[in-house]
Amino acid sequence: MVASPNSKMQRVLQISMAATFLYVVATFYFGVRAHSLALISEAGHNVSDLLAILLSFVAVYFQSRPATEEKTFGYQRAGVLAAFVNALTLIVLSIWIAFAATHRFSAPVAVQPRLMMAVAAAGVLMNGAIASLLWKFSGDVNIRSVFLHMLGDTLSTAAVIAGGAGILYTGLSWIDPLLSILIAGMILWSSVGIVRETLNILLEGTPSTLHLAEIRAAMQEVDGVLNVHDLHVWSLGSSSHALACHVTTSEMPMSECGAILESLNCAIRDRFHIHHTTIQFETTGCETTHGCSAPPPLEVVGAHGHHHHHGHSHAH
């Protein structure tokens, strides 16, 4: 029996959690022994990574649960919410590291560079291995947030090795807090990007990879479509998008609407990978000054003798 992508993802996250926990204990213990703020910063960063992986693990579990009458879209945004929380905690952590490092410039502490380098080398191997495992699942913003954490850890621990070598050969203790500030800046930069992406999803913004003008143009190329308006595209999860719109068509029997609806869904699905659509047909424009209002259901003769057709599509 072939394991599902969710179960593989959960297994990778379990391995990542175990390895990260062991490394947190090691970096904190040896950071204190070596008097290295850079190593202690790494321990703090890895604690946040441990929480991030745990949150992502819980989110993957919820995402695999089916939709219910109360949660009609299921739990697709659980991972997005986890990524948002992860990124916020990293922003707070980066600010704390920067403050601690600034204090070290005015009150330098002698560090043990050889111990720094040995522990950091182990970190590069562990974080690099976890990042490579997570890479294949990084299309999901939840997993991508963890992947960026681990990739950032790999680079920052490599920087700690370089810093340890610099201190060893020059005796300049300010290299340690300088490294901490660089690590903090890198954490902040990657975290802000994830906060922006997840906020856009949570606020139901148009996905950054899609453009309404292109979608509208593609829909209006379908024979029988006169106009597409009240067009909305949003994300249910990090890689699942939905669309709702009003489509104005010429007067025609209801039997002909099915072919137009199928053509519209094909264009949306094949060109833009949108699999959940709600498309409402109209034969006149939405006559209101305050946006669109839904016309009466099915074929109802309006005040001016026009027929309104409604086509709803739920393509999964």
Side-chain angles (χ1 to χ4, degrees), residues 11-32:
R11 185 63 182 156
V12 167
L13 290 171
Q14 285 174 330
I15 294 169
S16 303
M17 272 191 286
T20 303
F21 175 75
L22 293 175
Y23 186 65
V24 164
V25 173
T27 46
F28 183 77
Y29 174 74
F30 289 112
V32 171

Side-chain angles (χ1 to χ4, degrees), residues 70-82:
E70 290 77 27
K71 301 287 187 296
T72 55
F73 283 117
Y75 295 81
Q76 295 188 57
R77 285 193 179 165
V80 177
L81 192 58

Side-chain angles (χ1 to χ4, degrees), residues 222-241:
V222 173
D223 288 340
V225 173
L226 302 179
N227 174 267
V228 175
H229 56 282
D230 200 23
L231 176 61
H232 305 274
V233 178
W234 67 99
S235 297
L236 301 172
S238 59
S239 56
S240 173
H241 308 310

Side-chain angles (χ1 to χ4, degrees), residues 293-307:
S293 58
L298 299 178
E299 286 196 23
V300 178
V301 179
H304 302 288
H306 294 294
H307 291 274

Side-chain angles (χ1 to χ4, degrees), residues 9-85:
M9 214 182 289
Q10 285 179 315
R11 185 63 182 156
V12 167
L13 290 171
Q14 285 174 330
I15 294 169
S16 303
M17 272 191 286
T20 303
F21 175 75
L22 293 175
Y23 186 65
V24 164
V25 173
T27 46
F28 183 77
Y29 174 74
F30 289 112
V32 171
R33 282 197 58 182
H35 306 292
S36 170
L37 181 62
L39 270 185
I40 295 171
S41 299
E42 276 302 292
H45 189 186
N46 278 276
V47 166
S48 73
D49 282 348
L50 185 61
L51 293 174
I53 296 169
L54 179 61
L55 269 173
S56 294
F57 180 78
V58 172
V60 168
Y61 165 74
F62 275 108
Q63 283 178 179
S64 64
R65 295 179 65 181
T68 65
E69 288 190 1
E70 290 77 27
K71 301 287 187 296
T72 55
F73 283 117
Y75 295 81
Q76 295 188 57
R77 285 193 179 165
V80 177
L81 192 58
F84 178 69
V85 173

Side-chain angles (χ1 to χ4, degrees), residues 172-279:
L172 299 173
S173 58
W174 54 260
I175 291 176
D176 184 64
L178 178 63
L179 273 176
S180 299
I181 288 177
L182 292 174
I183 292 169
M186 184 173 59
I187 296 169
L188 184 64
W189 178 78
S190 62
S191 302
V192 166
I194 293 213
V195 166
R196 288 170 60 185
E197 182 178 354
T198 52
L199 260 183
N200 189 56
I201 294 172
L202 294 172
L203 294 175
E204 300 197 340
T206 303
S208 58
T209 55
L210 298 174
H211 302 283
L212 287 189
E214 293 179 8
I215 296 172
R216 182 180 286 108
M219 294 178 72
Q220 289 180 170
E221 288 174 3
V222 173
D223 288 340
V225 173
L226 302 179
N227 174 267
V228 175
H229 56 282
D230 200 23
L231 176 61
H232 305 274
V233 178
W234 67 99
S235 297
L236 301 172
S238 59
S239 56
S240 173
H241 308 310
L243 175 148
C245 70
H246 292 186
V247 173
T248 306
T249 64
S250 53
E251 291 278 2
M252 65 180 69
M254 280 293 288
S255 58
E256 294 180 21
C257 291
I260 295 177
L261 186 59
E262 182 62 29
S263 297
L264 286 169
N265 276 319
C266 285
I268 295 165
R269 182 178 62 247
D270 297 343
R271 291 181 58 177
F272 306 102
H273 308 291
I274 299 172
H275 297 277
H276 184 98
T277 63
T278 303
I279 299 172

